[in-house]
Amino acid sequence: MNKLKRTLALMAALAMTATAFVGCGGNDSSSTSESKAESSAEDSSEADADSAEDSTAEEESSVESAAGYTNVDVPALGEPDGSLKDGGDKLTILCWNDDDLKYMYDIVADATGMDKSMINYKNVGSNGTDANEQYAQVFLSGDDVDLYFCDADWNMAYQNNDEYSAPLSAVGISEDMYANAYDYTVAMGKDKNGVLKGASWQAAAGGYAYRADLAEEYLGVTSPEDMQAQVGSWDDFWKTAATVYEKSGNTTAMADSLGGVWRAYSNGNRTKSWVNDGKLDPSSVGDFISMAKENFDKGYISGATQWSDDWLPQGQSDGAQANKTFGFFFPTWAIAKGGSLEQAEGGEGGSTYGKYALCEGPTSWFWGGTWICVYPKTDNAKEAGQFIYTMTADADAMQKYVDVRGDFVNNKGVMSATTEAGTNSNPLFGGQDQFQILFNSADKIDMSIASEYDAKINTDLQNAVQDYCNGVTASEDDCLNAFLDAIAADVTDITVE
């Protein structure tokens, strides 16, 4: 981390392009694994040891871009407007795990002077998809909540509900603070009236994380560039899948799950929203059902279901699920420190730790992201604003998060500088810099087709396709009808024909 800071400072000095980004001193992933019960920031201090750096002048210097994008100055955090309560003793953050949050405690405390023991996290004991319904129960219970993390599949539903979300302006946050953010994250943070209700600390571009050792053995591939040449389109991907399956003795699937293929296909190929003029538009399914069924039957897609117990162990070379998949469709948050890829490798010392590499895959795509929202019944308006500003607008703080967490933050200047510096080395990929692969994809993310119903629709489609592939339904028409019936039952305020 220190080395990266020094490198960036030196590059900025040589280029003579120093433009100060002034942060105010004194915010998901969408990773979806389960975590421990409610805890405070004090309990997670050991996970944050790496972020407690010496306060050298270089480390405190503003972050500069050396790859074509320089951060512009943004306003300092404003004062709360008085519409929300203040003075509470704990800043309570509602989330489904602390995979991201535990890296934020020290960063926020250092930037704001806030005692990190004040930051408290409340876990709903669920995953990112199910948290959608769990949050509503927490709000009804009257439990203390100040901030909460929202998944991309359902953040719009919460932001469009004034009983669940307050304007960020109420805690001193304004839209012009996000001049350096990826545009889609700002658009997704607004409610139907254009009011900014959520802010994101990350951009969630996706890639194809593959077993580099198996790629060399089965395909003769020794670099991500050569791998990309073999999976650069869906046709190429399935053609290569046939080779992998044959060379592995019909044991290794190219794709980790139907859900993984759907995430890449959906967010890389769809061009229309699921819901238009209050009606479901099933044309967004495209040729996914037939593509999924054909390649599942051939053994090119694993039979494991995302988030099930047999999903991630497929990525290891030992155990009952050994070598069941050649690769995973993973977004940025899944390949960060402590994310899904690390679990798939068996952790440090695991059978495939460091034996993966990353390429873009058959399409430029994304999966999820997390927005921080303010609960209108907060009693800590000041600290809520400080937390959001630090993690989503303060470039220096966001650079620290990149360094310690390895996630792709929602700041073009920070990621441009990090990519250009070339000092990032991800041990999960044997030292490969994942940002070099994902940087261009992040700028292509377009969530203009998102709707507040995406969580239910995506879940119901994946369930219907899984049933079709497993023989529960007999035909593509039956699969589509099962999907439509499920949506009609689950989403009653839209028309399903």
Side-chain angles (χ1 to χ4, degrees):
M1 289 179 286
N2 293 344
K3 181 180 179 182
L4 177 56
K5 286 287 188 177
R6 288 193 292 270
T7 301
L8 296 179
L10 176 60
M11 293 169 68
L14 291 174
M16 298 298 288
T17 57
T19 302
F21 180 97
V22 182
C24 178
N27 65 58
D28 141 74
S29 158
S30 246
S31 50
T32 52
S33 59
E34 291 191 5
S35 188
K36 59 191 178 185
E38 181 175 343
S39 63
S40 72
E42 293 177 301
D43 298 325
S44 297
S45 60
E46 68 277 2
D48 301 316
D50 288 342
S51 67
E53 304 179 70
D54 295 334
S55 299
T56 65
E58 288 171 347
E59 289 168 341
E60 293 175 349
S61 66
S62 297
V63 178
E64 302 299 333
S65 166
Y69 188 95
T70 302
N71 275 334
V72 300
D73 290 345
V74 300
L77 175 65
E79 293 294 325
D81 66 7
S83 63
L84 303 177
K85 292 182 180 180
D86 219 334
D89 60 348
K90 288 285 185 180
L91 179 69
T92 302
I93 302 172
L94 184 64
C95 51
W96 54 91
N97 63 48
D98 70 341
D99 288 356
D100 302 297
L101 185 59
K102 64 187 177 184
Y103 293 97
M104 298 178 179
Y105 297 130
D106 282 338
I107 293 173
V108 172
D110 290 346
T112 66
M114 188 188 308
D115 187 336
K116 71 176 183 178
S117 66
M118 182 182 182
I119 307 173
N120 189 58
Y121 118 83
K122 187 184 297 293
N123 174 25
V124 296
S126 183
N127 61 43
T129 299
D130 295 337
N132 179 23
E133 298 176 359
Q134 298 291 334
Y135 278 16
Q137 298 303 313
V138 174
F139 293 155
L140 286 172
S141 74
D143 286 355
D144 178 54
V145 175
D146 297 296
L147 299 173
Y148 58 94
F149 290 176
C150 263
D151 184 271
D153 279 350
W154 45 270
N155 74 313
M156 294 175 69
Y158 275 76
Q159 290 169 179
N160 282 330
N161 187 328
D162 291 339
E163 293 184 7
Y164 289 165
S165 59
L168 294 190
S169 58
V171 296
I173 301 288
S174 56
E175 186 173 339
D176 55 359
M177 295 173 182
Y178 297 102
N180 302 304
Y182 287 89
D183 292 342
Y184 84 92
T185 65
V186 181
M188 280 287 289
K190 296 179 181 179
D191 69 8
K192 58 188 176 183
N193 298 314
V195 177
L196 190 65
K197 291 281 200 73
S200 180
W201 70 83
Q202 62 188 174
Y208 180 61
Y210 66 94
R211 286 275 299 278
D213 56 334
L214 296 184
E216 184 171 5
E217 180 180 352
Y218 298 153
L219 305 172
V221 166
T222 58
S223 72
E225 293 77 16
D226 289 343
M227 189 67 211
Q228 180 60 27
Q230 299 212 26
V231 296
S233 69
W234 285 113
D235 286 344
D236 289 340
F237 186 86
W238 300 123
K239 182 179 179 181
T240 300
T243 302
V244 168
Y245 193 65
E246 178 186 359
K247 292 289 184 67
S248 67
N250 299 346
T251 60
T252 303
M254 190 74 176
D256 59 281
S257 63
L258 285 165
V261 176
W262 169 246
R263 286 295 181 176
Y265 179 95
S266 172
N267 295 324
N269 294 71
R270 287 196 307 126
T271 59
K272 294 188 294 184
S273 173
W274 278 114
V275 180
N276 296 286
D277 298 324
K279 295 176 62 176
L280 180 73
D281 182 358
S283 68
S284 284
V285 174
D287 64 350
F288 175 72
I289 297 176
S290 59
M291 182 182 79
K293 175 64 171 173
E294 176 184 354
N295 291 289
F296 184 90
D297 287 349
K298 290 179 177 178
Y300 304 162
I301 303 175
S302 158
T305 302
Q306 280 182 337
W307 313 119
S308 65
D309 290 341
D310 61 352
W311 176 47
L312 294 178
Q314 299 177 115
Q316 299 179 41
S317 60
D318 58 11
Q321 295 296 103
N323 298 335
K324 288 294 182 67
T325 189
F326 187 82
F328 294 84
F329 285 104
F330 276 155
T332 51
W333 47 262
I335 59 180
K337 184 179 180 181
S340 302
L341 178 61
E342 187 168 342
Q343 298 172 51
E345 295 181 341
E348 189 169 357
S351 63
T352 55
Y353 187 82
K355 294 183 179 180
Y356 276 77
L358 185 73
C359 63
E360 184 176 287
T363 183
S364 180
W365 63 287
F366 62 94
W367 178 5
T370 314
W371 280 255
I372 313 176
C373 297
V374 178
Y375 187 44
K377 295 183 180 180
T378 178
D379 58 359
N380 284 294
K382 179 180 179 180
E383 287 79 10
Q386 289 178 331
F387 189 95
I388 295 173
Y389 185 89
T390 299
M391 293 310 308
T392 68
D394 183 335
D396 288 331
M398 296 174 83
Q399 180 68 65
K400 289 180 180 178
Y401 187 73
V402 172
D403 294 342
V404 69
R405 172 76 165 120
D407 200 359
F408 195 110
V409 297
N410 182 27
N411 186 299
K412 293 181 180 180
V414 169
M415 295 315 303
S416 182
T418 302
T419 302
E420 182 68 14
T423 54
N424 178 64
S425 176
N426 192 334
L428 303 179
F429 293 119
Q432 182 188 3
D433 181 0
Q434 77 272 29
F435 299 140
Q436 299 284 349
I437 301 296
L438 299 173
F439 184 74
N440 290 330
S441 294
D443 217 24
K444 300 173 186 176
I445 297 177
D446 179 5
M447 294 188 74
S448 61
I449 63 172
S451 79
E452 63 182 276
Y453 309 104
D454 286 356
K456 281 291 186 185
I457 293 173
N458 283 325
T459 298
D460 286 344
L461 177 65
Q462 290 180 63
N463 288 341
V465 175
Q466 191 86 47
D467 283 348
Y468 178 37
C469 291
N470 289 334
V472 177
T473 48
S475 69
E476 185 171 342
D477 285 343
D478 290 343
C479 175
L480 182 59
N481 287 330
F483 164 58
L484 296 177
D485 289 345
I487 295 301
D490 289 341
V491 187
T492 57
D493 56 342
I494 64 174
T495 300
V496 181
E497 297 176 343

